[in-house]
Amino acid sequence: MNSNPMYMEYVDDADPQPARRRGWRILGWISVGLSAVTVAGALTTYGIYRNALGNIAHEDINASVGPNRPKKLNNAMNILVLGSDTRAGANAKYGRGMKNEPPRSDTMILMHLSPGGKSAIGISFPRDLLVPIPACKTHGGGMSAPASRAMINSSFTTGGAACTIKTIESLTDIKIDHFVQLDFTAVKNVTKAVGGVEVCLPQDVNDRDSKLHLTRGKHVISGDTALAYVRNRHGLGDGSDTQRIKRQQKFIGSLANKILSAGTLSNPSKLIKLLNATTQSLVVDKELNDGEMMQLAQSMSGLSSGKLRFVTVPSGPDPSDPNRVALSSTAGTFFTAIRNDKTVPAPVKSTPTKILPSQVSVRVFNGSGIPGQANRVATDLKAKGFQVTVGGNASPTAKTKVLYGSGADQQAATLAGQIQNAPGPKAYASAAAGVVNLVVGRDWNGLKGAQAGIPKQQGEIKASDNICKGA
């Protein structure tokens, strides 16, 4: 085993193997269902589950992440899910030769819960993604040197969860509210607790490296077999990590679908078993306390598997190294959509008006102090059919205003009827005749009936999908 602590190769089995085996990835994929559904959604009666909650370990990371973090632009919840390959305790059998090496993380999923808790998207970051790594506080208490381009999973080796949070926030400009970290044994415990997870294989598999031996078609797997399935790389597909990510996303979706089913969440004995399996392997940030979990549970009570999506961050082969991954040109747009998601998925009926949106001319001014806010609002209004131009910045204002010029009172009513917490329209002498001025304030909460502002990604997976689709 290489003595360099930044060495990124992994073993496939419990004991050292030839170097050609690139080891199995951290099994934290299952933690999307855990962090976003189990830990949050299951805690509907706190008194019953208090003992299980006591198993959770908390880590204070704010000081390590440091100041100058992204601004929070909405009421969404962003939870970074990490898998740790620590060999401590029961994890030692998954690679004794790495027992004394620094923990690594090959699983990084940003779980974005839209405002209202009725939809969610899990965004995976490939371990081979080359990104800038900022200076981080190290495990030894010092500071690492920044790297202009390094594999994203090296951030966890350098400074643990705090460094990975700092790296992803710097990359995406998305504020991360909490983190959830699991180790190797979690997948065995959780899959047993739910009575197995359904998977679908496109071919017979007899893989020596992962010890996966299953026939083609559907299977319900748990424990060691689930471990073998998630770790498998060379026995299925083309052996690429990209294909394995898609396979693992389907596994998470299948797990979440089962956890979200009434048969799991409404059965107290199954629920206690599931919570105990989850929390024994869980580390979270200090701020994700019992009260915060309860609030999260309430906000997610209406989440269905059809509203749970899984995507890989927009990326492709790095031009200078086909064995590494680089962000694609669409990544910035995707991150912006996540950052500005103000979705409340339940449609809200608009106030009936005599004037159609297509008959309303709107000039949008930015009084929120948030860069680019007028352009984002203008895009949403255009999607509703309004005739829109952007008027630039206005004096900062806490309240959004609808101001209309001569002869535009009914047009102003149409516009106000489409705005959440609509302000009362007011006549404004300086507005052009027939035109409505919309001054976006700091209280802007989006348009009524707006659908998710997160564009559909190529190859995305829903938890409700047929497990054999594309297998």
Side-chain angles (χ1 to χ4, degrees):
M1 180 62 63
N2 192 309
S3 61
N4 184 343
M6 298 304 292
Y7 184 63
M8 288 299 148
E9 296 299 315
Y10 295 80
V11 295
D12 263 321
D13 298 309
D15 295 313
Q17 299 291 328
R20 65 179 178 83
R21 297 181 181 176
R22 283 188 63 92
W24 62 290
R25 306 297 183 254
I26 309 302
L27 297 174
W29 290 95
I30 52 89
S31 56
V32 169
L34 307 180
S35 65
V37 180
T38 309
V39 177
L43 303 178
T44 54
T45 311
Y46 172 70
I48 298 176
Y49 309 116
R50 188 169 184 174
N51 290 337
L53 289 172
N55 295 325
I56 299 175
H58 291 80
E59 182 178 335
D60 188 357
I61 63 164
N62 281 337
S64 297
V65 175
N68 303 319
R69 300 180 67 181
K71 291 182 179 180
K72 187 80 172 178
L73 302 182
N74 52 28
N75 292 321
M77 181 71 73
N78 297 308
I79 303 172
L80 181 62
V81 178
L82 298 168
S84 170
D85 75 347
T86 176
R87 262 57 179 190
N91 298 293
K93 68 178 182 178
Y94 299 116
R96 295 183 182 91
M98 299 175 68
K99 184 176 180 180
N100 297 320
E101 293 192 11
R104 286 168 281 249
S105 178
D106 271 351
T107 297
M108 286 157 280
I109 304 171
L110 182 59
M111 194 68 199
H112 173 80
L113 313 177
S114 291
K118 301 300 189 296
S119 66
I121 182 169
I123 308 158
S124 62
F125 290 78
R127 78 176 198 110
D128 294 336
L129 184 67
L130 295 175
V131 300
I133 306 290
C136 292
K137 187 175 181 179
T138 65
H139 297 288
M143 289 296 293
S144 66
S148 61
R149 209 159 181 260
M151 286 171 57
I152 194 169
N153 68 343
S154 68
S155 61
F156 188 84
T157 305
T158 298
C163 189
T164 303
I165 290 171
K166 191 173 183 179
T167 297
I168 292 180
E169 285 190 343
S170 298
L171 181 70
T172 65
D173 202 26
I174 297 169
K175 174 67 180 297
I176 295 174
D177 301 288
H178 301 291
F179 85 92
V180 176
Q181 179 181 311
L182 291 94
D183 60 24
F184 283 169
T185 60
V187 67
K188 293 175 62 175
N189 295 338
V190 173
T191 54
K192 287 179 181 178
V194 300
V197 177
E198 188 177 51
V199 299
C200 188
L201 281 75
Q203 64 196 52
D204 293 348
V205 178
N206 288 287
D207 185 53
R208 182 184 63 182
D209 290 348
S210 65
K211 296 181 174 61
L212 182 66
H213 305 285
L214 291 173
T215 57
R216 176 184 177 183
K218 290 184 178 181
H219 296 271
V220 176
I221 61 175
S222 64
D224 288 322
T225 303
L227 275 170
Y229 177 83
V230 180
R231 69 188 280 194
N232 185 273
R233 179 169 180 176
H234 301 294
L236 283 168
D238 61 7
S240 69
D241 199 48
T242 302
Q243 274 208 357
R244 177 158 58 177
I245 284 174
K246 303 307 293 183
R247 189 160 57 248
Q248 290 170 332
Q249 286 174 336
K250 294 179 76 170
F251 180 87
I252 301 167
S254 183
L255 171 62
N257 196 25
K258 190 161 190 176
I259 291 174
L260 285 166
S261 68
T264 300
L265 293 182
S266 64
N267 186 312
S269 63
K270 288 184 178 181
L271 194 51
I272 288 294
K273 189 177 180 181
L274 180 58
L275 283 172
N276 282 327
T278 303
T279 58
Q280 288 172 359
S281 302
L282 201 66
V283 180
V284 304
D285 57 283
K286 190 176 181 180
E287 283 69 34
L288 190 55
N289 53 37
D290 297 347
E292 185 79 0
M293 290 181 185
M294 289 293 290
Q295 291 182 6
L296 194 56
Q298 293 171 358
S299 70
M300 294 180 62
S301 60
L303 181 66
S304 66
S305 59
K307 295 294 185 180
L308 180 56
R309 305 156 57 190
F310 301 96
V311 303
T312 302
V313 64
S315 55
D318 183 73
S320 60
D321 185 352
N323 293 318
R324 296 291 178 260
V325 180
L327 292 177
S328 69
S329 59
T330 60
T333 302
F334 177 70
F335 294 147
T336 297
I338 297 292
R339 191 165 57 246
N340 295 285
D341 178 23
K342 297 182 184 297
T343 302
V344 179
V348 181
K349 293 183 179 180
S350 324
T351 303
T353 57
K354 298 179 181 179
I355 304 295
L356 299 175
S358 60
Q359 299 172 299
V360 181
S361 295
V362 183
R363 293 190 72 195
V364 182
F365 296 86
N366 187 3
S368 69
I370 301 171
Q373 185 75 308
N375 285 319
R376 289 186 287 271
V377 173
T379 298
D380 292 342
L381 287 171
K382 287 176 183 177
K384 287 276 191 177
F386 288 91
Q387 303 299 312
V388 186
T389 58
V390 176
N393 292 325
S395 298
T397 176
K399 299 291 185 180
T400 296
K401 302 174 183 177
V402 175
L403 309 173
Y404 60 89
S406 175
D409 53 337
Q410 293 187 53
Q411 288 88 337
T414 295
L415 175 62
Q418 293 285 346
I419 299 173
Q420 297 280 4
N421 302 321
K426 295 182 179 180
Y428 185 57
S430 298
V435 174
V436 182
N437 289 351
L438 173 61
V439 182
V440 180
R442 291 190 297 274
D443 66 341
W444 178 258
N445 197 32
L447 301 177
K448 291 182 179 179
Q451 297 302 308
I454 304 169
K456 183 176 181 180
Q457 300 297 297
Q458 183 176 1
E460 76 170 39
I461 292 169
K462 290 184 178 180
S464 58
D465 285 347
N466 183 337
I467 195 65
C468 289
K469 179 182 177 182

